[in-house]
Amino acid sequence: DEQTVAEIMRRRFSPSVLTNRCWEGFYFAGHEIKITEGTDCYGAFVWPSALVLSHFLETNAKQYSLVDKSVIEIGAGTGLVSIVASLLGAHVTATDLPELLGNLQYNVLKNTTTKCKHQPQIKELSWGVDLEKNFPKSLCQFDYIMAADVVYYHPFLEELLLTFDHLCQDNTVILWAMRFRLDKDNRFIGRFQELFDLEVICNFPSLNITLYKAMRRGKKMM
């Protein structure tokens, strides 16, 4: 845990000169990634779970090849995971609430333009809202659903579960990095397992983060 966490955190760097724009830098997928952050909401920061998932994608690129794969990230926030997946060759759709899309699009375009095989898309997705209208189930042919730190102190856990269920096909793999904070986080895991087979990929006790892989119940894990 300590050695891997240290390696993950070494991928982060801060600006050497202070400016009026708040940003952090990261090294993933052979690129220097600069992420603009905000101070006004939870989704405007890069949280450790995003680093854990990004590091996993990079260091397991052979087993979980993203080249030409269709990927959707829910709760993309500042966009780090979506950027890394794009740099690794995926067709990426990065989603979040409407008030976060401006900064998300800025970060994604700044760090992927002319660098990726497939230019990522940015779409609004409010969990549980107009899912069939905005993401018709017949067109949701995603190879991977990715999520980092989407379970925290908010009242939309049932809507989050509905969103996972709607986007996930029989062959879709969910890669989900979760930081445990509250007892209800464990209850959500229980609800999640009613629909999905869940496997722990790795634990990081010092960060209270667990990285999971999931598929629909009864479907063969990769």
Side-chain angles (χ1 to χ4, degrees), residues 101-190:
L101 293 187
N103 189 53
L104 174 59
Q105 181 168 342
Y106 174 83
N107 284 326
V108 169
L109 293 180
K110 179 180 179 181
N111 289 285
T112 61
T113 301
T114 73
K115 300 176 184 178
C116 295
K117 187 176 182 180
H118 309 289
Q119 190 60 40
Q121 299 181 23
I122 311 298
K123 292 189 70 174
E124 175 184 340
L125 174 53
S126 299
W127 299 336
V129 177
D130 292 331
L131 292 176
E132 184 59 29
K133 176 183 176 182
N134 297 325
F135 295 86
K137 198 166 182 64
S138 61
L139 301 179
C140 290
Q141 303 297 322
F142 297 111
D143 297 296
Y144 292 96
I145 298 171
M146 298 189 182
D149 224 354
V150 292
V151 177
Y152 54 94
Y153 187 70
H154 63 74
F156 304 109
L157 294 180
E158 283 300 313
E159 291 82 355
L160 173 60
L161 189 60
L162 284 172
T163 302
F164 274 122
D165 185 41
H166 182 83
L167 297 175
C168 188
Q169 299 287 356
D170 287 350
N171 61 343
T172 304
V173 175
I174 299 170
L175 295 175
W176 170 26
M178 176 170 171
R179 184 175 185 182
F180 286 83
R181 298 178 176 86
L182 303 168
D183 288 341
K184 72 175 183 176
D185 297 348
N186 292 308
R187 294 197 295 272
F188 180 80
I189 292 290

